[in-house]
Structures are given as C-alpha cells and as structure tokens.
Amino acid sequence: MNALFIQNIGQLVTVDPARMTADNPLGMIENGAIRFENGTIAWVGSAIEINRVDYPNSQWMDAHGRVLLPGLIDSHTHTIFAGDRANEFEMRLQGKSYLEIAQAGGGILKTVQATRQATPEELSALTLQRLKRMLALGVTTVEVKSGYGLDFESELKCLRVLQALRAQAPVSLVPTYMGAHDIPPEYQGRTDAYVDQVCEVQIPVVAEQKLADFCDVFCEKGYFDVAQSRRILETARQHGLKLKLHAEEFCDLGGAKLAGELQATSADHLLHVSDDGIAALKAGGTVATLLPGTAFYLRIKEYAPALKLIAAGVPVALATDFNPGSCVIDNLQLIMALACLQMNMPPVEVIKAVTIHAAQALDLQHDRGSLTVGKRADAVLFDIHSYNELLYRVGSNLLTDVYVAGQHSSRQQLEAQLQPVT
Ligand code: NIG
Ligand code: FE
C-alpha cells in the first residue's frame, strides 16, 4: 500500500460542503492532518487525533504550519494551439478592440492557420509544456478546448493529441470539443453550412471515438447565434457529450438563457448576462464560469457581475481562459487575485470558485474539488499561514508542494522540468 500522512498543516482548507458552516465557510481544520492511500484521500482530521504508532507503514510529511488546499482546477482553457498573436497586443494598446482585430484578419483565425500547419508532435510538446507550467502554479486539473483546427482533420488532430496527453501529462486533462469556436475561412458567409458540418460530421466522430467529454460553442455576435448554438449543443447532447457555452462575452445575445434551458454544465464569460440569464442559470443548475483575466487583458472596464450571480445562488467558478489572443494568462492564482480586486469577490468565494465549483463546472465534483475522504488525493501546499494571504500576496507564487493522486512533487522539482515555450 502506498500511504502518506501530511501533518502539522496550519490550515487544512477542506472546501468540503459537509464541513462548511456560516462560521467556517471553507470547512477549515486548524492544525490539521490528512492521509492519502493509493491515490485517494483516506482520512482528514485534526493532527492531535493521530497516533503515529498506529501507522507504521506510512510515509510522513511535515507541512510546517502551512496551508493545504484541494488541487486547483482550471475549468476553461484553450491550451492547444500553435503560433502567437503578440502583434494584437500592440494593436490593442493603440485602441483597436478584440472584435475589430478579428475582423481585420487577426483573432482566432490567425491561430487556426498556425495550428493547422503544426504537426501533432509540435502541438503535443507545446501543450505539455504549458500544462507543466500550470502545475507548477498549483493547478492539478485543466480543461482544454479544441477550436483552433476548425476542420474535421485539424480538430481531430488536436483532440487526438489531447487524448494522448491525457495518459501522459502530469495533470488531469479534461478535453472539450469546440469546433464551433469560429467560422473557418472555407465557410466564410456560410455559417449554417459549417454548423451542418459540425453536427453531421464532426460531433458524431468526436463522440464515438470518445475524444471529448464536453462540447462548447462561441455564442457571440459575428460567430454563432443562439439558434445555431442550440442546434450544435442539442446534437452534442444526443451524442452523449456534456455541454458548455461561451455566453455574453461581448454582448447580451441570450446565451445564458440557452445554457440554463439546456441545463448545460457551465456557461462561461457572462460579462453582459441579463437578470433573466442569471435566473435561467440558477434554474438550470448551470455553473457560471467567470474569466476576469480576459476582461483585464482586453482592457474591458465592465467585469462579469460575480456578486450578483453569487447572491442569486448560482455556483461561480473562476478560470484563466488561457489562449493566445484574448487572455495569455496561464496563472490561475493571478486570476484569483483579479477576481477579488476587479469583481470584489471575497477570498472564501474565490477559493470555492477554483476548487469545488470548478469541479462542478467539469462535472467532477464527486471525484475532486475538496479534501474529502474518498476523493482523488490532489492537494497543494502554500507557504502562507492563512488562506487569505493567497489573495493578498498578489503576483507571488507561494506554492511549495503539489500532490497529484497522492504523488508528491516539490515546486523546485516541477520547475526544474520546465522548458521555454515558444
Ligand atoms: O474565450 N471567446 C472565444 N474564445 C476565446 C478567445 C480565443 C482567441 O482569441 O484566440 C475566449 O476569449
Ligand atoms: Fe474561452
């Protein structure tokens, strides 16, 4: 048996719903200890309850009074792509908007060109490096969307790379099919014909070959409208895929209402969500995944109404949206700080948003997202004495140790494996 005890945990932040109370909203145990067995959490409690002699075959680690959290979960990324769009950064500084740049030949389609040309080996190496960087920042589960192929062959190429990485990457990877990320150049002006192709050709194969867990659509003016998004998502559901939707990023098109009505697992972005949209998310049990890094990076002044969503009882998750155009931030810790500073989210809500709610946004809450007996032993240790410091110390990576399915790595070990990503 592979057993590990971590003891002397100053704050063991379980985020276990069964331990949460009004006075202890994150189910925190002070001076805690945790036991992992064969990749699973076997015991959680107070350090004083443990008698070391009862566990002669365990490995022991001392947390030195630091803070242990569930492994962080980044539930919305576009991590598989080739090339870069550094020129767009400068265009935005000169006052051009994201949509203007896309219309002028930049945007998603520029990355599509580079990604179509890349070999699976190149894409795999790039993506693996990016995932390793995320792990060294405390992220143990990453959702990755396709959507820079936009033709049958290139979408499958990306999803197959992800499938292979799923077995070999040091983080858990959740693949999402997003063939409807943009209208490919071959279908310009014929969006409905591309939707036919997505529904009749791409989705059935992706689902049959089990290349993705979710299907996502960019429901936005100039991309896919609500009727087209509905058709794609309903087809995806019929083929057994779970649903996500990019909704109300640049305007209120009604995507949130659609997501709620279809009981999608999550609706993401939501900067312009209406009150009706919020009510629909609540009714549909849909997680609102907010991506404040994108507003920050695109210099949009209005952020998603996080506090309003929370007050309405919608579970709020936070993610990076890491991609080469609208948000190159791969650091979920920075996103957490932005959520506090730009959306006024309290630290307690921010921590739930990258653990239990992010797990829910991936339909994995039964397996991860809290330090609960029976769940996967994914945990991260930070060199702080109170979880609030994780937000307060904006811009520093205070991570010291990561446990992925019970396997320990120090941050130094993880960083030693990083290579430059081009
Ligand atoms: O979530 N909104 C659509 N997709 C990304 C942007 C992707 C890109 O610009 O390459 C997003 O913001
Ligand atoms: Fe996105």
Side-chain angles (χ1 to χ4, degrees):
M1 186 178 53
N2 180 353
L4 168 68
F5 247 119
I6 312 173
Q7 58 173 359
N8 196 14
I9 302 169
Q11 290 189 341
L12 198 174
V13 182
T14 68
V15 204
D16 181 347
R19 291 181 189 266
M20 290 178 187
T21 61
D23 292 340
N24 186 3
L26 292 176
M28 180 181 79
I29 302 169
E30 293 201 41
N31 189 18
I34 194 164
R35 178 174 164 82
F36 301 150
E37 276 177 24
N38 300 326
T40 302
I41 299 169
W43 184 86
V44 176
S46 162
I48 45 180
E49 293 171 47
I50 311 164
N51 194 346
R52 219 170 147 142
V53 291
D54 294 341
Y55 301 96
N57 298 320
S58 275
Q59 192 195 340
W60 293 80
M61 293 192 74
D62 189 334
H64 301 287
R66 293 172 180 154
V67 174
L68 190 78
L69 293 163
L72 307 182
I73 298 174
D74 193 344
S75 63
H76 180 141
T77 85
H78 305 256
T79 301
I80 185 161
F81 62 85
D84 74 83
R85 309 218 306 264
N87 63 319
E88 293 182 14
F89 183 77
E90 293 203 26
M91 288 167 84
R92 272 199 306 282
L93 298 183
Q94 289 156 9
K96 294 262 184 307
S97 75
Y98 178 82
L99 292 175
E100 282 166 350
I101 293 167
Q103 278 153 13
I108 294 172
L109 293 184
K110 174 126 188 269
T111 304
V112 168
Q113 227 174 18
T115 306
R116 284 182 177 180
Q117 280 164 14
T119 65
E121 293 72 27
E122 287 163 346
L123 286 168
S124 176
L126 286 167
T127 307
L128 183 59
Q129 275 306 309
R130 293 172 185 141
L131 294 173
K132 286 182 178 177
R133 287 173 63 91
M134 292 175 182
L135 181 62
L137 290 157
V139 174
T140 54
T141 299
V142 184
E143 185 257 16
V144 182
K145 302 173 198 298
S146 72
Y148 291 116
L150 304 191
D151 61 30
F152 185 49
E153 206 179 289
S154 310
E155 284 295 301
L156 287 192
K157 173 176 73 178
C158 292
L159 289 170
R160 289 204 175 110
V161 167
L162 293 178
Q163 190 180 43
L165 282 175
R166 209 172 186 179
Q168 93 198 52
V171 295
S172 297
L173 199 158
V174 178
T176 293
Y177 162 70
M178 198 173 177
H181 192 197
D182 201 345
I183 297 94
E186 311 77 71
Y187 283 90
Q188 284 306 312
R190 298 189 297 132
T191 306
D192 279 323
Y194 183 59
V195 173
D196 289 345
Q197 217 261 345
V198 163
C199 292
E200 288 160 21
V201 182
Q202 298 192 25
I203 288 175
V205 175
V206 168
E208 209 213 14
Q209 298 190 10
K210 300 207 178 317
L211 291 172
D213 294 358
F214 288 90
C215 177
D216 196 344
V217 178
F218 191 14
C219 181
E220 187 63 50
K221 210 167 157 209
Y223 294 82
F224 299 90
D225 65 23
V226 171
Q228 291 159 341
S229 303
R230 175 191 292 279
R231 201 179 142 210
I232 295 166
L233 293 183
E234 283 179 345
T235 305
R237 169 162 287 160
Q238 278 158 18
H239 286 271
L241 294 170
K242 293 181 263 193
L243 311 183
K244 291 183 166 288
L245 190 64
H246 279 59
E248 343 294 25
E249 180 176 356
F250 297 109
C251 64
D252 178 19
L253 210 63
K257 269 193 255 176
L258 175 67
E261 186 200 319
L262 295 179
Q263 300 182 331
T265 308
S266 75
D268 303 39
H269 285 288
L270 301 172
L271 276 71
H272 299 274
V273 68
S274 65
D275 289 351
D276 285 355
I278 293 177
L281 296 176
K282 167 77 180 147
T286 301
V287 176
T289 300
L290 307 186
L291 311 162
T294 309
F296 177 73
Y297 195 73
L298 295 181
R299 309 168 94 200
I300 295 170
K301 298 281 173 290
E302 295 289 323
Y303 283 68
L307 297 184
K308 206 165 160 185
L309 284 155
I310 293 168
V314 177
V316 168
L318 286 164
T320 58
D321 195 21
F322 173 61
N323 74 72
S326 68
C327 183
V328 298
I329 302 170
D330 61 4
N331 181 343
L332 189 58
Q333 291 185 44
L334 178 55
I335 302 301
M336 294 163 68
L338 286 176
C340 292
L341 295 171
Q342 306 291 72
M343 301 197 297
N344 294 314
M345 276 176 72
V348 163
E349 293 299 332
V350 169
I351 288 173
K352 287 197 282 188
V354 292
T355 55
I356 193 70
H357 291 167
Q360 202 178 330
L362 298 177
D363 197 23
L364 287 175
Q365 64 278 16
H366 55 281
D367 182 58
R368 63 193 72 183
S370 67
L371 298 174
T372 304
V373 171
K375 286 195 181 182
R376 212 178 124 94
D378 287 351
V380 283
L381 195 66
F382 287 94
D383 188 16
I384 49 180
H385 293 93
S386 152
Y387 63 79
N388 285 318
E389 278 180 65
L390 195 53
L391 292 315
Y392 159 70
R393 303 274 298 269
V394 182
S396 297
N397 182 13
L398 299 166
L399 184 83
T400 59
D401 298 270
V402 174
Y403 303 85
V404 175
Q407 292 301 311
H408 169 257
S409 305
S410 70
R411 177 168 145 208
Q412 283 84 348
Q413 286 170 327
L414 297 175
E415 288 182 346
Q417 290 169 29
L418 299 181
Q419 282 153 17
V421 185
T422 47

